[in-house]
Amino acid sequence: MVRLFYLEGMSKNLFPPENTLPRSAKEKLLNQQGKAIWMTGLSGSGKTTIALALEKALHEKGVLTQVLDGDGIRGGINNNLGFSEPDRMENIRRIAEVAKLFVQCGVVTICCFVSPTKIIRSKAKEIIGASDFVEVYVNTPLELCEQRDVKGLYAKARKGEIADFTGINSPFEAPDTPNIELFTDKNPVAACVEEILQKIV
Ligand code: ADP
């Protein structure tokens, strides 16, 4: 009871709404709108490659961006989480909360996470806010991802050295109605980036 009262008092005293600089002021300063570009797809599908090329293209247009990437986040803020179902949910919850902070600052935030299930992606969308959330499905066939095997993880998963590896021994649920769907088996990186730019700029 006492603790609750203390927290309520704290939030009232520290963040009175009339003193809070609104998001619109930050967006005006940057001359852009905050958005989360949420890239979902199998490991090796091309999320990071496309995100980095997209970030460069947006930078050249004078847009401030931030890339949030699975490996970076798992090595830092989420380094205490594994790949069990509850840990995957907590991983996404924290990522979405971080993305939301950037978006509300007016930054175009490109999130590269396998985010394999509909429930995980809908959780991220709920936290970030539907109007700020652009779902990009990097639709690359499993065989091609496995052939690329950028990090050697598919080989390990096939040997049984990795439990719960998405696409091999853990499911990937494709989004039903993504805002953007990219086919990296047919289109080069630059074309995928152009497709995103056409939709968001
Ligand atoms: P993810 O982030 O989804 O795990 P990466 O971006 O790390 O995937 O790896 C994708 C690999 O596929 C890279 O080696 C990249 O060069 C290659 N690749 C080939 N064609 C494409 C394409 N059209 N889009 C994205 N990546 C591609």
Side-chain angles (χ1 to χ4, degrees):
M1 230 11 207
V2 171
R3 187 175 151 76
L4 229 180
F5 175 75
Y6 166 73
L7 286 174
E8 273 172 10
M10 214 174 79
S11 65
K12 269 187 206 132
N13 293 334
L14 286 181
F15 302 112
E18 65 276 14
N19 287 356
T20 307
L21 189 66
R23 170 179 173 172
S24 57
K26 297 175 187 178
E27 291 184 324
K28 194 172 167 204
L29 180 78
L30 295 170
N31 193 27
Q32 65 182 58
Q33 268 185 305
K35 281 272 176 259
I37 314 293
W38 191 274
M39 319 265 287
T40 175
L42 292 167
S43 174
S45 58
K47 301 179 296 297
T48 307
T49 305
I50 294 168
L52 296 179
L54 175 66
E55 177 168 61
K56 272 200 184 131
L58 286 168
H59 185 78
E60 278 162 19
K61 291 181 188 298
V63 178
L64 183 64
T65 54
Q66 176 66 49
V67 174
L68 301 178
D69 186 80
D71 295 339
I73 294 273
R74 278 197 174 273
I77 190 173
N78 286 356
N79 68 1
N80 62 330
L81 299 176
F83 291 86
S84 67
E85 209 47 48
D87 276 12
R88 281 185 195 253
M89 281 309 280
E90 177 59 9
N91 181 47
I92 289 298
R93 189 191 68 77
R94 288 186 205 168
I95 288 162
E97 291 288 356
V98 170
K100 185 180 174 183
L101 291 174
F102 277 106
V103 169
Q104 292 191 341
C105 238
V107 178
V108 173
T109 310
I110 309 166
C111 309
C112 314
F113 300 98
V114 175
S115 43
T117 62
K118 290 178 183 170
I119 188 153
I120 279 177
R121 293 188 298 267
S122 73
K123 182 86 190 157
K125 187 172 180 175
E126 182 191 316
I127 290 171
I128 292 168
S131 57
D132 290 326
F133 189 89
V134 180
E135 188 175 65
V136 179
Y137 175 27
V138 185
N139 185 352
T140 307
L142 173 65
E143 307 74 62
L144 181 54
C145 296
E146 194 165 0
Q147 200 180 307
R148 290 176 180 165
D149 207 3
V150 191
K151 298 167 205 152
L153 296 175
Y154 284 95
K156 281 191 181 164
R158 287 288 183 202
K159 280 192 247 163
E161 290 170 15
I162 307 176
D164 302 327
F165 191 71
T166 306
I168 305 296
N169 41 22
S170 183
F172 180 83
E173 294 170 8
D176 292 327
T177 52
N179 300 103
I180 301 170
E181 186 165 5
L182 303 175
F183 298 92
T184 74
D185 53 338
K186 299 185 183 79
N187 302 313
V189 178
C192 295
V193 168
E194 194 50 40
E195 209 171 316
I196 301 177
L197 287 175
Q198 294 278 330
K199 293 254 167 66
I200 64 163
V201 175

